[in-house]
């Protein structure tokens, strides 16, 4: 009986677990590795926090540029609310640095937009925890440079992204997963270079 259910789920192109779960499972190792890599930045000291923001900007800027080139605003009319490049540039300027792209990313397909946004929108969830570490910093300069980490707070950006992901019938799951992996790799490369 269960085998029949499994067969039906693959016939319609989607597993019963859903694209969100497939993305999570397919990128779990990359997510863990990136978390471990980013945990080496001490967010409670100015130099460590600045390096963290530089690493984040190194990947965020080219990923968001690729999203714009792929027409993300047609899929997500609220893209201007979601984009964080200006926020991270503001934080880095406040800390005496500049936001720069440090990695290259390939052009995105429509499905690639969803995979990339899975990583970027999901990072907002982790940002809540990072904000707590920044709040513990004794340096007021750090506490004043949190536009990137607090971006979108109080808005339902993750939930609205998940709704779009769940309802997008045209998504090629393999392309979405590959783009999510590329996004994680971009952040890992940028962290190596920071």
């Amino acid at each position: 009986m269960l085998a029949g259910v499994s067969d039906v789920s693959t016939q319609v192109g989607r597993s019963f677990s859903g694209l969100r779960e497939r993305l999570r499972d397919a990128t779990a190792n990359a997510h863990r590795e990136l978390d471990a890599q980013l945990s080496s930045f001490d967010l409670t000291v100015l130099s460590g926090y600045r390096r963290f923001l530089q690493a984040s900007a190194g990947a965020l800027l080219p990923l968001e540029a690729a999203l714009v080139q792929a027409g993300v605003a047609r899929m997500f009319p609220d893209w201007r609310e979601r984009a964080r490049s200006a926020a991270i540039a503001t934080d880095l300027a406040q800390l005496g640095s500049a936001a720069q792209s440090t990695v290259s990313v390939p052009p995105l397909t429509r499905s690639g937009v969803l995979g990339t946004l899975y990583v970027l929108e999901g990072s907002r969830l982790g940002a809540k925890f990072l904000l707590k570490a920044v709040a513990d910093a004794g340096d007021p300069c750090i506490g004043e440079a949190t536009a990137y980490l607090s971006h979108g707070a109080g808005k339902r950006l993750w939930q609205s992204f998940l709704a779009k992901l769940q309802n997008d019938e045209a998504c090629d799951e393999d392309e979405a997963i590959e783009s999510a992996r590329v996004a994680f790799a971009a952040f890992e490369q940028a962290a190596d270079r920071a």
Side-chain angles (χ1 to χ4, degrees):
M1 183 69 169
L2 289 178
V5 171
S6 178
D7 291 342
V8 169
S9 70
T10 57
Q11 288 173 4
V12 295
R14 297 207 184 252
S15 66
F16 273 53
S17 63
L19 181 54
R20 175 187 180 185
E21 289 76 16
R22 284 199 60 210
L23 280 161
R24 184 192 62 221
D25 294 346
T27 60
N29 287 338
H31 193 171
R32 273 191 299 277
E33 290 171 13
L34 180 59
D35 283 349
Q37 190 176 17
L38 293 178
S39 69
S40 69
F41 296 111
D42 184 353
L43 304 185
T44 64
V45 297
L46 186 60
S47 61
Y49 185 56
R50 183 185 303 121
R51 282 186 58 232
F52 164 77
L53 289 175
Q54 289 168 331
S56 297
L60 179 72
L61 297 178
L63 287 169
E64 285 195 350
L67 286 166
V68 168
Q69 289 175 343
V72 67
R74 286 189 301 274
M75 294 173 68
F76 292 88
D78 63 347
W79 169 245
R80 295 180 96 177
E81 286 184 61
R82 293 176 184 276
R84 292 184 280 172
S85 290
I88 203 165
T90 297
D91 288 344
L92 281 166
Q94 197 158 354
L95 300 178
S97 187
Q100 299 176 349
S101 297
T102 59
V103 299
S104 297
V105 296
L108 296 171
T109 63
R110 185 179 192 291
S111 298
V113 166
L114 292 172
T116 300
L117 277 176
Y118 170 79
V119 176
L120 297 183
E121 291 298 335
S123 71
R124 291 180 197 278
L125 304 175
K128 292 177 186 177
F129 297 103
L130 298 178
L131 270 171
K132 291 178 183 173
V134 169
D136 291 340
D139 189 335
C141 291
I142 294 172
E144 294 170 5
T146 59
Y148 171 66
L149 289 179
S150 62
H151 189 274
K155 297 181 181 175
R156 299 183 50 82
L157 298 174
W158 175 244
Q159 293 83 355
S160 64
F161 167 74
L162 290 179
K164 174 71 172 169
L165 185 68
Q166 180 180 353
N167 295 320
D168 195 305
E169 299 283 327
C171 182
D172 180 310
E173 290 187 7
D174 293 332
E175 284 182 17
I177 289 168
E178 181 56 27
S179 292
R181 287 179 174 149
V182 166
F184 275 114
F187 278 100
E188 287 180 40
Q189 292 168 9
D192 283 341
R193 296 175 183 173

